[in-house]
Amino acid sequence: MKTLRNHAWLIVLALGIALPVVVRNDYSLTVMSTAYIFALATLGLNLITGYTGQFNLAHGGFVAIGAYTVGILSVDYQVPFWIAFVAAGVVTTALGFFVGLVSLRLRGHYFSIFTLCVGYIIFLVIEKWDSFTHGVVGIIGIPAPPAIGPISFENPLPLYYLTLAFLAAGMWLMHRIVNSLLGRTFVAIRNSEPLAQSLGIDLMRNKLLAFLISTCYAGLAGGLYAGFVRFLGPDLAGTAHTFDMTMYVVVGGIGTLAGPLLGALALPWLTQTLQFMQSYRFLVFGPLLIALLIFLPHGVVGLYRSLQTRRESQRVIRAASMPGVTSGDSHA
């Protein structure tokens, strides 16, 4: 089963690599690259929300902090892009430490409300601090990632492969985390904090670690986004992006690796497909989302897993009811 799962991931990666051969227009590559960037950020949100059980509503704000770190350093201080990109991860994680240190003392809805307020404060700071963040004017002229050897990132195709490479690396690292002892510790906290504490798990330290990893993913995704779009505005820190990423997690399958990836890649294409309806597209998209939440509460991946478990149970029952199975076992 593990080998089959690994092969499935390799097939998905191969499809991503081969996509530009099938899709030759720059618009589709741009949409897909943007989806890869937000899929990377969604992986971080899924770690703190899906695996650790802390519903963070400031995730879009942390993405914006990473993006603005790259924008401010590269445009106002002429810092090389990759140095600014690393700084985006460091700055976002450092801020995540102080926010997590306070917010994670709260539980349930109180934590969510607190982080929602933090996200709104980040939005207000970006919008109002004109001298530092450029305010509502935004940051224009962010440089593209510098060339690596003969590969220039001025065009959509190399940028597509760059974002795909970062998403693949992020998926690999997240796979290692959630399948380690640390990942099982996060799940234990999600399932029952009192039980996890009775087993000797330091709740605050582990929840804070999950929060830091989550914000680091958000910051790096934001830095990559800044180098990709090369223009930033305060709307990036709005709650809309946080709720979009939450939707990706819920629809795809919360607490799974494949779920956030599936949601982050499929839903943007669905919204693009409904663009011809302009503002009326939400009248179609909204009920579809509600229906998914009602009939697929564990997401698409959760539905697949439940069907797989059901088929396996039926196979075991049929094998047990076959004539000669019991006698064969007794003879052995």
Side-chain angles (χ1 to χ4, degrees), residues 32-284:
M32 206 65 187
S33 299
T34 306
Y36 288 160
I37 293 171
F38 280 98
L40 181 64
T42 305
L43 288 176
L45 177 62
N46 186 50
L47 180 69
I48 186 66
T49 299
Y51 282 96
T52 317
Q54 315 300 312
F55 189 23
N56 176 23
L57 290 176
H59 204 67
F62 288 110
V63 173
I65 289 172
Y68 268 83
T69 299
V70 169
I72 292 170
L73 289 178
S74 60
V75 172
D76 294 343
Y77 299 98
Q78 288 74 51
V79 175
F81 176 84
W82 291 117
I83 296 178
F85 177 76
V86 174
V90 173
V91 169
T92 310
T93 306
L95 182 61
F97 174 79
F98 292 106
V99 172
L101 206 60
V102 177
S103 63
L104 289 169
R105 299 180 186 279
L106 306 172
R107 295 185 179 183
H109 302 307
Y110 299 104
F111 172 81
S112 300
I113 293 170
F114 184 91
T115 54
L116 179 63
C117 294
V118 169
Y120 188 63
I121 290 170
I122 293 172
F123 169 76
L124 289 178
V125 169
I126 291 175
E127 184 183 46
K128 303 299 183 183
W129 197 355
D130 295 348
S131 60
F132 186 61
T133 64
H134 300 226
V136 295
V137 176
I139 302 177
I140 305 171
I142 300 172
I148 300 177
I151 304 175
S152 173
F153 296 105
E154 296 289 341
N155 299 316
L157 181 60
L159 279 172
Y160 169 86
Y161 282 116
L162 180 67
T163 56
L164 176 62
F166 271 101
L167 177 59
M171 284 291 298
W172 175 83
L173 180 59
M174 189 60 69
H175 178 269
R176 296 296 299 267
I177 291 173
V178 300
N179 287 286
S180 66
L181 179 60
L182 180 62
R184 290 190 286 273
T185 300
F186 294 155
V187 173
I189 293 173
R190 179 197 67 190
N191 291 340
S192 174
E193 289 192 13
L195 179 59
Q197 192 171 25
S198 69
L199 295 174
I201 294 175
D202 189 326
L203 297 182
M204 187 62 185
R205 184 180 67 183
N206 284 282
K207 287 194 293 186
L208 183 58
L209 180 57
F211 196 79
L212 293 181
I213 297 172
S214 173
T215 54
C216 183
Y217 266 75
L220 293 177
L224 196 59
Y225 180 82
F228 179 74
V229 301
R230 305 175 68 179
F231 166 79
L232 296 174
D235 288 344
L236 182 61
T239 55
H241 287 293
T242 297
F243 286 112
D244 282 345
M245 288 183 282
T246 303
M247 182 172 60
Y248 301 156
V249 171
V250 172
V251 172
I254 190 168
T256 66
L257 266 179
L261 181 64
L262 177 63
L265 300 185
L267 290 178
W269 278 109
L270 180 59
T271 56
Q272 291 297 320
T273 304
L274 297 176
Q275 281 288 351
F276 71 95
M277 301 181 65
Q278 296 183 356
S279 59
Y280 294 102
R281 70 184 185 272
F282 292 106
L283 295 178
V284 176

